Amino acid sequence: QKEVEQNSGPLSVPEGAIASLNCTYSDRGSQSFFWYRQYSGKSPELIMFIYSNGDKEDGRFTAQLNKASQYVSLLIRDSQPSDSATYLCAVRIPGGYNKLIFGAGTRLAVHP
Amino acid sequence: EADIYQTPRYLVIGTGKKITLECSQTMGHDKMYWYQQDPGMELHLIHYSYGVNSTEKGDLSSESTVSRIRTEHFPLTLESARPSHTSQYLCASTRGGPSYEQYFGPGTRLTVT
């Protein structure tokens, strides 16, 4: 079992719809959770992080964390074609050097 | 927003050459990281550093080496490049708690012919 699992996609949504991206993790001691956006050929860009159970909203983005279910999600409201990218889920596991474990990413395609 | 820089952005080099990939950040972050990512694949940690004169190997075995002589600078060196080293190399840093979010540089795309 991978430490961080994401559906590879592609997830295809129409412009203006809500895109829902999901991520599960295996280490119950995981402490912080991150969503990065990566355009093809570019480096990952931090969108949001969350470390408490519940929802965290930032503009069109909402991160949701459920530690009991070991599940974190990202909702993108009013999806735009410019949101088309690969979304990486990352989890900070316990340890001295604050290591992040990345999922393989979900490719999102927003079509007009 | 992070101020983290990598040079060169693209490098095509022949087998057997020695190369150094540069990474610098201006935020005073103690912790820095090198990742390797092949197209469409996951990021894998190859090196990290807690601070000056502190370096450790990451999860993915790599023939590269790193040094950390100054807080802002974390170069990666390949003594003898091989085609199997062809990949994208990403540098990241973090300021620390409470969430330890990492910020990435633009990356170096290395091709060894």
Side-chain angles (χ1 to χ4, degrees), chain A residues 2 32 34 36 38 41-44 46 49 51 88 92 96-104, chain B residues 31 33 35 37 42-43 45 48 50 59 88 90 98-107 109:
Chain A
K2 286 190 172 182
S32 308
F34 306 86
Y36 287 85
Q38 187 173 28
K42 303 295 185 181
S43 65
L46 180 67
F49 61 86
Y51 47 82
L88 307 177
R92 182 169 72 92
Y97 59 93
N98 302 296
K99 170 181 171 178
L100 294 190
I101 304 296
F102 284 84
Chain B
K31 300 170 183 60
Y33 308 83
Y35 294 87
Q37 185 183 33
E42 299 163 58
L43 280 81
L45 181 68
Y48 63 96
Y50 283 157
D59 302 322
Q88 173 152 265
L90 294 158
S99 57
Y100 295 90
E101 67 273 25
Q102 292 184 15
Y103 296 95
F104 285 84
R109 185 165 298 280

Side-chain angles (χ1 to χ4, degrees), chain B residues 50-63:
Chain B
Y50 283 157
V52 171
N53 294 325
S54 156
T55 62
E56 299 288 344
K57 289 190 177 293
D59 302 322
L60 182 67
S61 176
S62 174
E63 294 166 350

